[in-house]
DNA sequence: CGTGTTATTGAAGTGTATCAAATTGCGTGG
DNA sequence: CCACGCAATTTGATACACTTCAATAACACG
């Protein structure tokens, strides 16, 4: 399922402007020695809900989604990560099992950094842990926003936002209506009906399973995204 | 509105097992010199949505709630903080205006630590920034959980959880039905009707504006909280 | 070329929001 | 201490956005 690649961190690290960018000396050496580079196919799970965290995943290329699963199979997409992002560190730092599963969306080249390495590097490098802190703070703001949208916005508004956001998160990918519903916090059926409405209004265009945004400005308005 | 108190950090810091606990030497001295201790009455705003962050608030005693406000006045309670907690650091670290407002719930004795002090202390102390990292990771898990509950659980289930959670967050306080609705992501009317149902089922008891939990076990079950 | 997932459409049901109006409870000032 | 006034609570009626279930159609994939 996964192919091991051997690549030097000095190459990868700087490339995507990731969190480990700027690492030097002993820390970089340690990272290089212990990390494992893998190639993943779409659909592959990096980890499952309930698993104990054993390290973090650094995305070199591709996209990964984080989703929570409820007992009744009502999934919810929590976050999407692209190149340069780091996945699975919250459970690591909180020292608790994963609350969500990480699934590869497409073409992923991912670096696994074992727990001990992460802890060692982070705890000795105030700059790095501060970077994590900044990143996490920003992520928190995003999810805080989604929480409010979910509780005060209509399904139509959330679907409009989902279309825009998912498109932005991964240009190439045709997200399924199920995935859109899992981001928007609604059902596939509602997504389908709403998309039909959007098409009638000339906001989007549907060709088979692909969705094209025609009137971005109006869609933004529908999503009630303000600047 | 607020009364300035002068208290030594060495007294306060250790007491509540807060994040600054264990601080020594230069950092503790700096904290002592620049922090401002205030006394706040219930209803007082620590900061408002849109404000630029100028520091963080360390709760010595009392309770503070964080809430997001939408245009239509549909508020949403995001988090509740008690003694030892730190408020307003996410905006600080993300270097962005507050997304939510912090409101004193009751009897608050709060220490304000200016931005420059926080940055200086945190960036020079890997242990401290890691502590923040752990805290934030845990907070994230909590909000992640709420996001899922909001999108997949019924109002009844969320209200049951709200009752239990709010009770736990502040023993003494009688939360209003509006506040309960703002935590559960619903309306005061729905809360009232649901509370009536709970009372009929013998789960709770309502005396005027106070709510007593009679059957905690069954309420937990209703809330679908699993262990 | 089948087989399973994804998409679509329809009909039906219902959980919640919404609006409005009455009532209660509570803090505050006289 | 009581009465006042305001905010919180309560109740009812109504509406509807959304889910759910079910059945068919289209597509992708090996």
């Amino acid at each position: 399922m996964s192919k091991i690649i051997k690549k030097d961190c000095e190459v990868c690290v700087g490339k995507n402007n990731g969190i480990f960018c700027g690492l030097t000396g002993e820390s970089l050496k340690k990272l290089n020695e212990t990390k494992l580079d893998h190639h993943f196919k779409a659909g592959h799970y990096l980890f499952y809900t309930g698993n104990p965290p054993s390290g973090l995943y650094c995305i070199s290329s591709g996209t990964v989604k984080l989703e929570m699963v409820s007992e009744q199979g009502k999934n919810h997409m929590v976050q999407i990560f692209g190149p340069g992002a780091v996945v699975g560190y919250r459970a690591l730092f909180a020292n608790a099992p994963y609350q969500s599963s990480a699934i590869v969306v497409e073409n992923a080249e991912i670096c696994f950094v074992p727990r001990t390495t992460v802890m060692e590097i982070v705890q000795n490098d105030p700059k790095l842990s501060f970077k994590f802190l900044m990143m996490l703070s920003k992520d928190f703001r995003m999810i805080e926003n989604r929480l409010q949208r979910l509780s005060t916005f209509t399904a139509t508004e959330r679907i409009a936002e989902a279309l825009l956001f998912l498109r932005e998160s991964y240009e190439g990918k045709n997200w399924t209506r199920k995935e859109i519903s899992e981001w928007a916090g609604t059902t596939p059926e509602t997504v389908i009906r709403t998309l039909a409405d959007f098409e009638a209004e000339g906001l989007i265009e549907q060709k088979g399973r692909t969705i094209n945004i025609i009137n971005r400005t109006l869609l933004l308005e529908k999503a009630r995204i303000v600047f």
Side-chain angles (χ1 to χ4, degrees), chain A residues 67-76 178 181-182 186 188:
Chain A
E67 74 178 33
M68 296 187 83
V69 187
S70 79
E71 311 141 36
Q72 305 103 345
K74 282 177 131 197
N75 295 8
H76 199 266
K178 185 159 183 281
S181 77
E182 284 173 5
T186 178

Side-chain angles (χ1 to χ4, degrees), chain A residues 49-197:
Chain A
T49 305
N51 283 171
S54 56
L56 60 73
Y57 300 83
C58 195
I59 304 177
S60 177
S61 74
T63 313
V64 172
K65 67 175 175 182
L66 210 61
E67 74 178 33
M68 296 187 83
V69 187
S70 79
E71 311 141 36
Q72 305 103 345
K74 282 177 131 197
N75 295 8
H76 199 266
M77 222 191 285
V78 178
Q79 234 176 330
I80 295 172
F81 302 93
V86 169
V87 188
Y89 63 92
R90 287 194 291 271
L92 201 63
F93 293 143
N95 197 28
Y98 291 118
Q99 258 189 339
S100 38
S101 304
I103 302 151
V104 174
V105 173
E106 238 168 67
N107 304 336
E109 218 167 284
I110 294 166
C111 220
F112 174 78
V113 185
R115 181 199 190 89
T116 48
T117 303
V118 177
M119 291 304 184
E120 204 179 306
I121 294 181
V122 171
Q123 285 180 338
N124 289 325
D125 187 343
K127 249 188 184 159
L128 184 59
S129 57
F130 192 74
K131 263 167 135 180
F132 266 109
L133 210 47
M134 286 199 295
M135 185 172 73
L136 199 44
S137 295
K138 281 176 191 159
D139 287 352
F140 200 101
R141 292 169 70 79
M142 205 188 286
I143 203 169
E144 207 175 26
N145 238 319
R146 290 189 63 205
L147 190 73
Q148 205 208 13
R149 290 187 70 89
L150 204 55
S151 71
T152 60
F153 284 25
T154 65
T156 308
E157 291 163 338
R158 271 146 38 207
I159 290 165
E161 191 263 355
L163 285 177
L164 292 161
F165 177 80
L166 292 176
R167 165 61 46 91
E168 224 169 72
S169 298
Y170 196 140
E171 269 296 338
K173 156 117 180 148
N174 279 317
W175 297 93
T176 66
R177 282 113 234 265
K178 185 159 183 281
E179 282 170 323
I180 295 170
S181 77
E182 284 173 5
W183 182 263
T186 178
T187 59
E189 290 95 326
T190 302
V191 169
I192 285 158
R193 288 182 239 268
T194 308
L195 289 181
D197 292 345

Side-chain angles (χ1 to χ4, degrees), chain A residues 202-216:
Chain A
L203 300 177
I204 62 164
E205 183 191 36
Q206 297 186 77
K207 276 182 194 158
R209 290 182 177 179
T210 72
I211 302 163
N212 292 316
I213 295 172
I214 295 179
N215 196 329
R216 196 184 140 83

